[in-house]
Amino acid sequence: MKGRAAAARAAELRRLIERANHGYYVLDKPEISDAEYDRLFRELQELEAKHPELRTPDSPTHRVGAPPAAGFKKHRHLVPMLSLANAFNEAELAEWEERNARLSPEVKTAGYTLEVKIDGAAVSLTYDDGVCVIGATRGNGVEGEDVTTNLRTVLDVPLRLRGKGWPKLMEVRGEVYLSKTRFAELNKERDHAGEPTFANPRNAAAGALRQLDPKITRSRRLRIFCFHVEAPGQKLPVATQHDLLQQLAAWGFPVEPHHKLVPDLAAANQEIATFEPLLEQLDYGADGVVVKVNPLELHAELGTVGDREPRWAIARKFAPEVRVTRLKEIRINVGRTGALNPYAVLEPVEIGGVTVSTATLHNFELIKAKDIREGDLVEVTRAGEVIPQLLGPVIKKGVRRARPYQPPDRCPVCKSKVEHPPDEVMVYCPNVSCLGRIFESIVHFASRTAMDIRGLGPERVKALLDAKLIKDVADLYELTTMQLLTLEGFAEKSAQQLVAAIQASQQQPLSTLLFALGIRHVGVQGARLLARHFGTMKALAKASADEINKIRGIGPAIAEAVAGFFVEPKNRKLVERLEKLGLNMKEPEATEGKGPLAGQVYVITGTLPSLSRAKAGELIEAAGGHVTDGVSRNTTAVVVGADAGAKLEKAKAFGVPLIDEAELLRRARAKP
Ligand code: IVH
């Protein structure tokens, strides 16, 4: 190809690739197959290699492998992003009102809105003529980071507004968060993949926003609630905060649904009392109630304290419930990767209606820093965090304590000398045959998100290992009913059931098997991408790290880990043995765009009678449909199970059809 033709083709390819990226990363609606994408990409690479003059700085080929190395551009907010003052009780709230009343006496009768204070990461979305043009973090309040590409992956951020009446240029302020459900799921996946878990949903959300690679942000499935607008020098079509919330919802912004309008502070206090128990129940972190003066006119009049806090709003916070109990013992769990995870065994104590008897201690450095010793009285809390936290010891004068805690220098399970990589806080057992590690890897293999072997939980895995009936996951497939009957707790029927469940798991697709093998960094999503790309275990086992790295959605860490896994003779042998034992080593062809549910989008909520959520999702995808987390107007139907939550409410609000598991099975023409 010569000069002009080559230039035209390069431009065309760039356009096609960018469009495919947009569909894939931003819209969550891939328009072309992976193979097609790879073909276009390679053609562009070759063209640029032959005609270096055609290489433009914005060519998508520059994005191959690693995401852009530099940080984010700075973004200066039109109006600074403020924080809020706190009030911890009624008296402090009353003082706040008195201070305001000295400036504007009307506040006492003007009414207040009460809003749930979302505990996430503050962001500002800039809309120009109703189109989202910039998304930025708070930063220092005056200047944040431009994370537009990442914020566009937050599926409920409206990219274009609905309705009418918005100011030409406005900044909409909101809070990006991670649902507690998604947080637990992510941590489970990360734990399975041998990656460090997140401390709380807020950190996970803030971290996700600042990823250089938007596909990582997207995979976290962040959400947003909006609550404030800045439109300097322009008119808003509403006069009160309460109407503003309604207006935001009409424009298409997600607005937290529990907000209330009250006539005065006495009514506010009454309502706030009902918020306190509610906050715990929500599927997102909420660290208080924001009380706002209702008329926007008074906001302007009251103004701000410096460039820091508005006078017209305050955060009413609830002191977290902290209980004191005795730390009976510090125990260590050896994870699948060999990481030694210390945890506290506590004298059971009730915190916020939940009985707590263990708490994570994270790592040995933390135990040392807080000087936590066995036998200590300790403070424990569950505030905002999902996992109980041990705050620290309560030291009383004159009370004798045990000696400072000594981290072990040997693995508590296999007694190997532990290793402490210099750049890590975690300490590891280096022995790949350590029973502790093997135990965890078999439990993971059998778990619901992996091979889904019903009836094979941690206790039974332990019993099988103790009785030396198994040494690895392949041994499971040679277990007989007779052998199981020699174990305590098994009868004819339960033994047969377990053998049947193990046999049934042989049919799991390659993606499930890959995830179940517990290759470092390979989570559910990564395993699916690998299986779809290579199709068979053989093809994957032969691939180099470079080849794997080229797959969209797979980063260098996964690529290295996967290639490294298949280099290890022990692992190759295990995989060969599994194949001989009859396990499925193939991935069924992707059916996207085909099948009875082609083009349909489903949301699953609550516990279904027979299918796990993962299985229901697989079934929908196998029938050509798509599963998303959040209900929107594009949702075909919501599959509702027992104890369905906010999604059910949202579906009703949007008028999205509700169906049950039986109807889903009918539509997908599947049997349970
Ligand atoms: S109003 C000038 N309302 O809390 C506007 N903030 O600690 C001030 N937040 O930076 C914020 N939920 O990111 C407001 N319903 C809500 C909120 C909320 C969460 C965050 C917000 C703010 C931080 C202040």
Side-chain angles (χ1 to χ4, degrees), residues 84-94 96 113-118 265 268-276 279 286-292 313-320:
L84 292 173
N86 293 325
F88 282 96
N89 49 47
E90 291 190 8
E92 288 178 9
L93 211 50
W96 168 70
T113 53
L114 307 177
E115 297 166 28
V116 171
K117 184 169 187 297
I118 312 298
L265 207 55
N269 281 322
Q270 265 183 12
E271 285 297 336
I272 287 169
T274 68
F275 268 100
E276 188 166 4
L279 298 189
D287 60 339
V289 176
V290 186
V291 185
K292 297 179 182 171
I314 194 161
R316 168 72 160 89
K317 296 222 169 161
F318 307 108

Short mmCIF file of all heavy atoms in Angstrom, two decimals, residues 84-94 96 113-118 265 268-276 279 286-292 313-320:
data_model
loop_
_atom_site.label_atom_id
_atom_site.label_comp_id
_atom_site.label_asym_id
_atom_site.label_seq_id
_atom_site.Cartn_x
_atom_site.Cartn_y
_atom_site.Cartn_z
N LEU A 84 -17.73 18.87 54.74
CA LEU A 84 -18.83 19.21 55.64
C LEU A 84 -18.36 19.22 57.08
O LEU A 84 -17.52 18.40 57.47
CB LEU A 84 -19.96 18.18 55.51
CG LEU A 84 -20.73 18.13 54.20
CD1 LEU A 84 -21.68 16.94 54.20
CD2 LEU A 84 -21.50 19.43 53.99
N ALA A 85 -18.93 20.10 57.88
CA ALA A 85 -18.69 20.06 59.32
C ALA A 85 -19.51 18.91 59.89
O ALA A 85 -20.48 18.46 59.27
CB ALA A 85 -19.12 21.38 59.95
N ASN A 86 -19.12 18.43 61.06
CA ASN A 86 -19.83 17.31 61.68
C ASN A 86 -20.60 17.76 62.91
O ASN A 86 -20.19 18.67 63.62
CB ASN A 86 -18.83 16.25 62.16
CG ASN A 86 -18.15 15.58 60.99
OD1 ASN A 86 -18.76 15.39 59.95
ND2 ASN A 86 -16.88 15.25 61.16
N ALA A 87 -21.71 17.06 63.18
CA ALA A 87 -22.42 17.21 64.46
C ALA A 87 -22.66 15.80 64.98
O ALA A 87 -23.21 14.98 64.26
CB ALA A 87 -23.74 17.94 64.26
N PHE A 88 -22.22 15.52 66.21
CA PHE A 88 -22.35 14.15 66.71
C PHE A 88 -23.58 13.92 67.57
O PHE A 88 -23.86 12.81 67.97
CB PHE A 88 -21.08 13.75 67.47
CG PHE A 88 -19.96 13.38 66.53
CD1 PHE A 88 -18.99 14.30 66.17
CD2 PHE A 88 -19.91 12.11 65.96
CE1 PHE A 88 -17.99 13.97 65.27
CE2 PHE A 88 -18.90 11.76 65.08
CZ PHE A 88 -17.95 12.70 64.72
N ASN A 89 -24.31 15.03 67.88
CA ASN A 89 -25.53 14.84 68.69
C ASN A 89 -26.48 16.02 68.46
O ASN A 89 -26.16 16.95 67.72
CB ASN A 89 -25.17 14.71 70.17
CG ASN A 89 -24.21 15.82 70.60
OD1 ASN A 89 -24.45 17.00 70.28
ND2 ASN A 89 -23.14 15.46 71.28
N GLU A 90 -27.64 15.95 69.14
CA GLU A 90 -28.66 16.97 68.94
C GLU A 90 -28.17 18.35 69.35
O GLU A 90 -28.48 19.36 68.71
CB GLU A 90 -29.94 16.60 69.71
CG GLU A 90 -30.62 15.39 69.11
CD GLU A 90 -32.00 15.14 69.69
OE1 GLU A 90 -32.51 15.98 70.46
OE2 GLU A 90 -32.57 14.08 69.36
N ALA A 91 -27.39 18.38 70.43
CA ALA A 91 -26.93 19.68 70.93
C ALA A 91 -26.04 20.36 69.88
O ALA A 91 -26.19 21.57 69.63
CB ALA A 91 -26.15 19.48 72.24
N GLU A 92 -25.17 19.59 69.25
CA GLU A 92 -24.28 20.19 68.25
C GLU A 92 -25.07 20.66 67.03
O GLU A 92 -24.73 21.66 66.40
CB GLU A 92 -23.19 19.19 67.85
CG GLU A 92 -22.17 19.00 68.97
CD GLU A 92 -21.09 17.99 68.65
OE1 GLU A 92 -21.00 17.52 67.49
OE2 GLU A 92 -20.34 17.66 69.57
N LEU A 93 -26.14 19.93 66.73
CA LEU A 93 -26.99 20.31 65.61
C LEU A 93 -27.72 21.63 65.94
O LEU A 93 -27.84 22.52 65.10
CB LEU A 93 -28.00 19.19 65.35
CG LEU A 93 -28.48 18.97 63.93
CD1 LEU A 93 -27.32 18.88 62.96
CD2 LEU A 93 -29.32 17.70 63.85
N ALA A 94 -28.16 21.74 67.19
CA ALA A 94 -28.87 22.95 67.62
C ALA A 94 -27.93 24.16 67.58
O ALA A 94 -28.33 25.26 67.16
CB ALA A 94 -29.44 22.76 69.02
N TRP A 96 -25.46 24.56 65.59
CA TRP A 96 -25.29 24.88 64.16
C TRP A 96 -26.45 25.77 63.70
O TRP A 96 -26.26 26.79 63.05
CB TRP A 96 -25.23 23.58 63.37
CG TRP A 96 -25.34 23.72 61.88
CD1 TRP A 96 -24.39 24.25 61.04
CD2 TRP A 96 -26.43 23.30 61.04
NE1 TRP A 96 -24.83 24.19 59.74
CE2 TRP A 96 -26.08 23.62 59.71
CE3 TRP A 96 -27.66 22.69 61.27
CZ2 TRP A 96 -26.91 23.34 58.63
CZ3 TRP A 96 -28.48 22.41 60.20
CH2 TRP A 96 -28.12 22.74 58.89
N THR A 113 -33.67 19.48 54.34
CA THR A 113 -33.69 18.14 53.72
C THR A 113 -32.69 17.28 54.47
O THR A 113 -31.67 17.77 54.97
CB THR A 113 -33.26 18.15 52.24
OG1 THR A 113 -32.01 18.79 52.14
CG2 THR A 113 -34.28 18.81 51.36
N LEU A 114 -33.04 16.02 54.55
CA LEU A 114 -32.15 15.04 55.18
C LEU A 114 -31.75 14.06 54.09
O LEU A 114 -32.60 13.56 53.36
CB LEU A 114 -32.89 14.30 56.30
CG LEU A 114 -33.56 15.18 57.35
CD1 LEU A 114 -34.32 14.31 58.35
CD2 LEU A 114 -32.51 16.03 58.07
N GLU A 115 -30.46 13.81 53.97
CA GLU A 115 -29.98 12.87 52.95
C GLU A 115 -29.00 11.90 53.60
O GLU A 115 -28.26 12.28 54.49
CB GLU A 115 -29.25 13.63 51.83
CG GLU A 115 -30.11 14.59 51.08
CD GLU A 115 -29.29 15.56 50.22
OE1 GLU A 115 -28.18 15.18 49.79
OE2 GLU A 115 -29.76 16.68 50.01
N VAL A 116 -29.01 10.70 53.10
CA VAL A 116 -28.01 9.73 53.55
C VAL A 116 -26.64 10.23 53.12
O VAL A 116 -26.47 10.66 51.98
CB VAL A 116 -28.29 8.35 52.92
CG1 VAL A 116 -27.13 7.39 53.19
CG2 VAL A 116 -29.60 7.78 53.44
N LYS A 117 -25.69 10.21 54.02
CA LYS A 117 -24.33 10.60 53.64
C LYS A 117 -23.59 9.36 53.14
O LYS A 117 -23.28 8.46 53.92
CB LYS A 117 -23.58 11.23 54.81
CG LYS A 117 -22.21 11.73 54.42
CD LYS A 117 -21.60 12.58 55.52
CE LYS A 117 -20.30 13.23 55.08
NZ LYS A 117 -19.26 12.27 54.77
N ILE A 118 -23.36 9.32 51.84
CA ILE A 118 -22.72 8.17 51.22
C ILE A 118 -21.23 8.19 51.51
O ILE A 118 -20.59 9.23 51.39
CB ILE A 118 -22.92 8.20 49.68
CG1 ILE A 118 -24.37 8.47 49.32
CG2 ILE A 118 -22.43 6.91 49.03
CD1 ILE A 118 -25.32 7.44 49.80
N LEU A 265 -36.02 21.71 62.93
CA LEU A 265 -35.00 20.87 63.54
C LEU A 265 -35.58 19.78 64.45
O LEU A 265 -35.04 18.67 64.52
CB LEU A 265 -34.01 21.74 64.33
CG LEU A 265 -32.61 21.17 64.45
CD1 LEU A 265 -32.01 20.83 63.10
CD2 LEU A 265 -31.70 22.14 65.19
N ALA A 268 -36.49 17.13 62.27
CA ALA A 268 -35.26 16.54 61.75
C ALA A 268 -34.71 15.53 62.74
O ALA A 268 -34.37 14.40 62.38
CB ALA A 268 -34.23 17.63 61.47
N ASN A 269 -34.68 15.93 64.03
CA ASN A 269 -34.13 15.03 65.04
C ASN A 269 -34.92 13.72 65.12
O ASN A 269 -34.34 12.65 65.28
CB ASN A 269 -34.09 15.71 66.40
CG ASN A 269 -32.90 16.65 66.49
OD1 ASN A 269 -31.82 16.34 65.97
ND2 ASN A 269 -33.10 17.81 67.10
N GLN A 270 -36.24 13.84 65.02
CA GLN A 270 -37.07 12.64 65.06
C GLN A 270 -36.74 11.71 63.89
O GLN A 270 -36.60 10.51 64.05
CB GLN A 270 -38.54 13.03 64.97
CG GLN A 270 -39.16 13.12 66.34
CD GLN A 270 -40.65 13.43 66.25
OE1 GLN A 270 -41.25 13.36 65.17
NE2 GLN A 270 -41.23 13.76 67.36
N GLU A 271 -36.65 12.29 62.71
CA GLU A 271 -36.36 11.48 61.52
C GLU A 271 -34.96 10.88 61.58
O GLU A 271 -34.75 9.74 61.18
CB GLU A 271 -36.49 12.34 60.26
CG GLU A 271 -37.91 12.64 59.85
CD GLU A 271 -38.70 11.37 59.50
OE1 GLU A 271 -38.08 10.35 59.12
OE2 GLU A 271 -39.93 11.41 59.61
N ILE A 272 -34.02 11.69 62.09
CA ILE A 272 -32.63 11.21 62.13
C ILE A 272 -32.54 9.93 62.96
O ILE A 272 -31.78 9.02 62.64
CB ILE A 272 -31.69 12.32 62.66
CG1 ILE A 272 -31.53 13.39 61.57
CG2 ILE A 272 -30.32 11.77 63.04
CD1 ILE A 272 -30.85 14.65 62.02
N ALA A 273 -33.38 9.87 64.01
CA ALA A 273 -33.37 8.67 64.84
C ALA A 273 -33.76 7.43 64.03
O ALA A 273 -33.26 6.33 64.30
CB ALA A 273 -34.33 8.84 66.02
N THR A 274 -34.61 7.60 63.02
CA THR A 274 -34.98 6.44 62.22
C THR A 274 -33.91 6.13 61.16
O THR A 274 -33.85 5.03 60.64
CB THR A 274 -36.34 6.63 61.51
OG1 THR A 274 -36.18 7.66 60.52
CG2 THR A 274 -37.44 7.01 62.46
N PHE A 275 -33.08 7.13 60.85
CA PHE A 275 -32.02 6.89 59.88
C PHE A 275 -30.93 5.96 60.46
O PHE A 275 -30.35 5.17 59.75
CB PHE A 275 -31.34 8.21 59.47
CG PHE A 275 -31.95 8.85 58.24
CD1 PHE A 275 -32.85 9.90 58.35
CD2 PHE A 275 -31.61 8.39 56.98
CE1 PHE A 275 -33.40 10.49 57.23
CE2 PHE A 275 -32.15 8.98 55.85
CZ PHE A 275 -33.05 10.03 55.97
N GLU A 276 -30.68 6.13 61.77
CA GLU A 276 -29.54 5.41 62.35
C GLU A 276 -29.60 3.90 62.10
O GLU A 276 -28.64 3.33 61.59
CB GLU A 276 -29.38 5.73 63.84
CG GLU A 276 -28.09 5.15 64.38
CD GLU A 276 -27.67 5.69 65.74
OE1 GLU A 276 -28.42 6.48 66.34
OE2 GLU A 276 -26.58 5.30 66.19
N LEU A 279 -29.18 2.98 58.17
CA LEU A 279 -27.89 3.07 57.49
C LEU A 279 -27.18 1.73 57.44
O LEU A 279 -26.59 1.35 56.44
CB LEU A 279 -27.00 4.12 58.16
CG LEU A 279 -27.53 5.55 58.14
CD1 LEU A 279 -26.47 6.53 58.61
CD2 LEU A 279 -28.02 5.97 56.75
N ALA A 286 -22.67 4.12 54.48
CA ALA A 286 -23.29 5.41 54.77
C ALA A 286 -22.79 5.81 56.14
O ALA A 286 -22.90 5.05 57.08
CB ALA A 286 -24.81 5.27 54.76
N ASP A 287 -22.18 7.01 56.23
CA ASP A 287 -21.58 7.37 57.50
C ASP A 287 -22.25 8.56 58.16
O ASP A 287 -21.61 9.33 58.85
CB ASP A 287 -20.07 7.57 57.35
CG ASP A 287 -19.72 8.69 56.38
OD1 ASP A 287 -20.58 9.03 55.55
OD2 ASP A 287 -18.60 9.22 56.46
N GLY A 288 -23.56 8.70 57.95
CA GLY A 288 -24.29 9.74 58.64
C GLY A 288 -25.43 10.27 57.81
O GLY A 288 -25.78 9.69 56.77
N VAL A 289 -26.02 11.37 58.29
CA VAL A 289 -27.12 12.01 57.57
C VAL A 289 -26.69 13.45 57.29
O VAL A 289 -26.20 14.12 58.20
CB VAL A 289 -28.40 12.00 58.42
CG1 VAL A 289 -29.53 12.74 57.71
CG2 VAL A 289 -28.81 10.58 58.76
N VAL A 290 -26.84 13.90 56.05
CA VAL A 290 -26.51 15.29 55.76
C VAL A 290 -27.78 16.12 55.93
O VAL A 290 -28.81 15.81 55.33
CB VAL A 290 -25.96 15.47 54.33
CG1 VAL A 290 -25.50 16.91 54.13
CG2 VAL A 290 -24.81 14.51 54.08
N VAL A 291 -27.71 17.13 56.79
CA VAL A 291 -28.83 18.03 57.01
C VAL A 291 -28.57 19.29 56.20
O VAL A 291 -27.50 19.90 56.35
CB VAL A 291 -28.97 18.38 58.50
CG1 VAL A 291 -30.22 19.21 58.75
CG2 VAL A 291 -28.99 17.11 59.35
N LYS A 292 -29.50 19.65 55.31
CA LYS A 292 -29.29 20.83 54.47
C LYS A 292 -30.46 21.80 54.59
O LYS A 292 -31.61 21.37 54.59
CB LYS A 292 -29.16 20.42 53.00
CG LYS A 292 -27.95 19.55 52.71
CD LYS A 292 -27.86 19.15 51.25
CE LYS A 292 -26.66 18.23 51.05
NZ LYS A 292 -26.62 17.62 49.72
N ALA A 313 -25.09 23.36 55.28
CA ALA A 313 -25.19 21.90 55.40
C ALA A 313 -24.27 21.41 56.49
O ALA A 313 -23.23 22.02 56.78
CB ALA A 313 -24.84 21.22 54.08
N ILE A 314 -24.64 20.31 57.11
CA ILE A 314 -23.79 19.71 58.15
C ILE A 314 -24.01 18.20 58.13
O ILE A 314 -25.09 17.73 57.76
CB ILE A 314 -24.12 20.32 59.54
CG1 ILE A 314 -23.02 19.96 60.55
CG2 ILE A 314 -25.50 19.87 60.05
CD1 ILE A 314 -23.01 20.86 61.78
N ALA A 315 -22.97 17.46 58.48
CA ALA A 315 -23.10 15.99 58.53
C ALA A 315 -23.41 15.57 59.95
O ALA A 315 -22.63 15.84 60.87
CB ALA A 315 -21.82 15.34 58.05
N ARG A 316 -24.60 14.97 60.15
CA ARG A 316 -24.93 14.44 61.47
C ARG A 316 -24.41 13.01 61.51
O ARG A 316 -24.88 12.15 60.75
CB ARG A 316 -26.46 14.47 61.65
CG ARG A 316 -26.98 13.71 62.84
CD ARG A 316 -26.65 14.41 64.16
NE ARG A 316 -27.55 13.92 65.20
CZ ARG A 316 -27.27 12.86 65.96
NH1 ARG A 316 -26.15 12.19 65.80
NH2 ARG A 316 -28.14 12.49 66.88
N LYS A 317 -23.40 12.79 62.35
CA LYS A 317 -22.75 11.48 62.38
C LYS A 317 -23.15 10.71 63.62
O LYS A 317 -23.49 11.29 64.65
CB LYS A 317 -21.24 11.66 62.37
CG LYS A 317 -20.76 12.28 61.08
CD LYS A 317 -19.52 11.61 60.61
CE LYS A 317 -19.20 12.04 59.22
NZ LYS A 317 -17.82 11.78 58.87
N PHE A 318 -23.11 9.41 63.51
CA PHE A 318 -23.40 8.55 64.64
C PHE A 318 -22.10 7.92 65.09
O PHE A 318 -21.35 7.40 64.26
CB PHE A 318 -24.39 7.46 64.24
CG PHE A 318 -25.62 8.01 63.60
CD1 PHE A 318 -25.86 7.85 62.25
CD2 PHE A 318 -26.54 8.73 64.35
CE1 PHE A 318 -26.99 8.38 61.65
CE2 PHE A 318 -27.67 9.27 63.76
CZ PHE A 318 -27.89 9.09 62.41
N ALA A 319 -21.84 8.01 66.39
CA ALA A 319 -20.59 7.42 66.88
C ALA A 319 -20.66 5.92 66.61
O ALA A 319 -21.67 5.30 66.86
CB ALA A 319 -20.44 7.70 68.36
N PRO A 320 -19.60 5.35 66.04
CA PRO A 320 -19.64 3.93 65.74
C PRO A 320 -19.73 3.11 67.02
O PRO A 320 -19.21 3.51 68.06
CB PRO A 320 -18.30 3.68 65.04
CG PRO A 320 -17.41 4.77 65.51
CD PRO A 320 -18.31 5.95 65.75
#
